[in-house]
Amino acid sequence: MPQYQELPCGGQVLDIDTALKDGILGGALEPIDAAAGDAGKQPVELRKMMDELDAAGDGGSDEAVPAVFICPISLEPMVDLVTLCTGQTYEQANISRWLALGHRTCPTTMQELWDDALTPNATLRQLIATWFSRRYTRFKKRSADFHGRAADLVHSLRGTAVPRWQPLKGQARVAALRELRTLATTHQSVTKATAEAGGVALLTSLLGPFTSHAVGTEAVAILVSGVPLDADAKAALMQPAKVSLVVDMLNEGTTDTKINCVRLIRILMDVRGFRPETVASLSLLVGVMRLIRDKRHPDGVIAGLELLNSICAVHGPARSMIVSIGAVSQLVELLPELATECVEPALDILDALSAVPEGRMALKDCPRTIPNAVRLLMRVSEACTRRALSMLWTVCRMAPEECAPAAMEAGLAAKLLLVIQSGCAPELKQKASELLKLCRLNYTDTLFISKCKLTRTIQRGDGNDAALMSFDSMMRGLSIDLAEFRVPRKWPSISRTRGS
């Protein structure tokens, strides 16, 4: 018998018995256990089982979900199955929505429906429940095996494993840590089993002044993989000798090691009682800036920016140290090349550094501060516009004769007019207006209007009168009379003048 039977009106119906016999559903239908039976009767339980398998990212098997289990509309495994008169099966919520929209055809075959009744497909539902139940059972068994293996590795590293009562050392220790890291990063549930076996105290004790970078790299990777760290563990990790090792690996390790070190320091900074002077290290700051400048690794860039931003927020004296390593010019140069999610933290750092005199001077002296900040106005987000405007205000106030003309040449006036006429917050518009007034001082009215790149808008005779009146009002606030810039409405055209 063929796996699919042809309908008189067209379309196909899957023959379940033949499909099972031929193996396309993964074997014959077996009697299902109580859990599977409950799952078949209760779609909610089956959905929970599917969600847990999806969240695990593995599902306990490399076997693909059979195509007949997939709803043709959502392309997701079905839970509450109904069949149309064409023989096609769908998730009930999806096909009900299709019919509610007024469709009277089968979504798969596009045949007209001679009957819109939805018949529950209990047989296929039972098959799906059985298949996912077996998969879920294998997943749980494998998870238990992973948890047991993780606990065994922790006991071996601690020297509490039977029959071996000595902790692993040398390459054996590195190999065991590497395997534990692989388990922890691949299976999130392993992190809890690692902590329950005493893994956190073990990993914390491994970090010290005499720890090799090979051991430290694996230990830090496990600590940032999601292993729960209590207050005592975080306090132990903040010991100077341990922080010193992490900083050394930040400067000398691989890119992945550097990212993990930055993440660990960031985790420790969220602890109550954190001592800000712990991060007041030139070596640490230099290592973070190196990671930020490495544009080949976006994860490292965002991790470094977040850590540097946190340091600026919690430790004022560190700002001068950050400026002293050339961070201002480096961050300004990077602004046009940063990913969207990195621009805001970079601007936050520059804004924090401008709070110290050295930072303000570094911003003014950097040749790319003005053009890069102007480029960011009205781009990315309102928060970025606010930070960029703050940078421009800082440098133009410091040296108006030098910086204001440079800002106007970079197109600042037109951008500020956009900010003023946009839907931004009132205080942001006020700041833009004040900066525009500051830049206008060194220009005649005619030259200023040309710098605003709005000469055509002002001179048009048949424009939007309301918009022009609003523009007039804005310019009067800058002490500019636009009457002399407008051409009268009945001014003769050039072609008429030449022909007269």
Side-chain angles (χ1 to χ4, degrees), residues 200-201 203-205 207-208 223 230-243 268 271 275:
V200 174
L203 296 170
T204 302
S205 67
L207 299 178
L223 288 170
D230 57 21
D232 292 338
K234 292 178 180 179
L237 287 169
M238 285 191 292
Q239 295 175 10
K242 299 182 186 298
V243 174
L268 298 180
V271 181
R275 298 184 298 275

Side-chain angles (χ1 to χ4, degrees), residues 127-200:
L127 281 171
I128 294 175
T130 302
W131 191 87
F132 273 99
S133 178
R134 289 199 301 264
R135 187 171 185 176
Y136 185 75
T137 300
R138 289 197 299 269
F139 162 70
K140 284 297 187 181
K141 183 177 183 301
R142 291 181 62 193
S143 296
D145 292 342
F146 293 142
H147 296 173
R149 180 55 182 162
D152 289 344
L153 289 170
V154 171
H155 289 307
S156 297
L157 289 164
R158 296 176 61 189
T160 56
V162 180
R164 183 187 181 92
W165 296 98
Q166 295 296 324
L168 296 177
K169 296 182 179 180
Q171 291 301 316
R173 173 185 287 179
V174 175
L177 286 169
R178 186 175 295 118
E179 183 180 353
L180 185 58
R181 171 177 59 84
T182 302
L183 289 173
T185 54
T186 306
H187 308 281
Q188 189 61 37
S189 60
V190 170
T191 57
K192 183 178 180 181
T194 301
E196 291 174 349
V200 174

